[in-house]
Amino acid sequence: GLLRQFDKLWTFTRFPDLEPTNNEAERCLRPIVMFRKRSLGTQSARGSRFVATMMSLSQTARKSGYDFFRYLKISLNAHALGARVPLPIFS
């Protein structure tokens, strides 16, 4: 089976920007794993969705160089005022 996949195993040699490992993905997941260990997880589906959403937004912001807490502050203020919460634009 490995020989049938041989070309796919060496894709990174044809694309210089492609990393041969999944280290970047592992680094992105590390804060989430550590949070789960420290907090002992969540107690409800709603809590799990909240944590997943916040972690996803924070990692996307970090990777894009955007201030996640600034976006969170803007969103919470908009919600408190009954205004529309802005979509996250991380660029």
Side-chain angles (χ1 to χ4, degrees):
L2 198 56
L3 290 176
R4 286 192 305 258
Q5 303 292 325
F6 190 79
D7 288 339
K8 294 177 185 173
L9 292 173
W10 297 98
T11 302
F12 69 93
T13 62
R14 295 190 306 271
F15 299 96
D17 294 336
L18 187 63
E19 286 190 47
T21 66
N22 67 342
N23 289 342
E24 185 177 358
E26 293 288 339
R27 285 190 299 268
C28 287
L29 290 173
R30 186 77 181 147
I32 298 165
V33 170
M34 295 308 295
F35 171 81
R36 190 179 66 216
K37 282 186 173 189
R38 284 190 309 266
S39 68
L40 302 175
T42 60
Q43 301 299 312
S44 67
R46 185 175 178 202
S48 294
R49 279 192 309 275
F50 174 79
V51 169
T53 300
M54 290 297 111
M55 290 292 184
S56 177
L57 283 171
S58 69
Q59 289 301 306
T60 301
R62 183 190 62 78
K63 192 169 171 92
S64 302
Y66 190 82
D67 185 356
F68 169 69
F69 290 106
R70 180 173 175 261
Y71 169 73
L72 191 58
K73 179 182 170 187
I74 291 167
S75 298
L76 291 173
N77 284 337
H79 179 73
L81 295 172
R84 187 173 181 187
V85 175
L87 292 175
I89 300 174
F90 301 124
S91 58

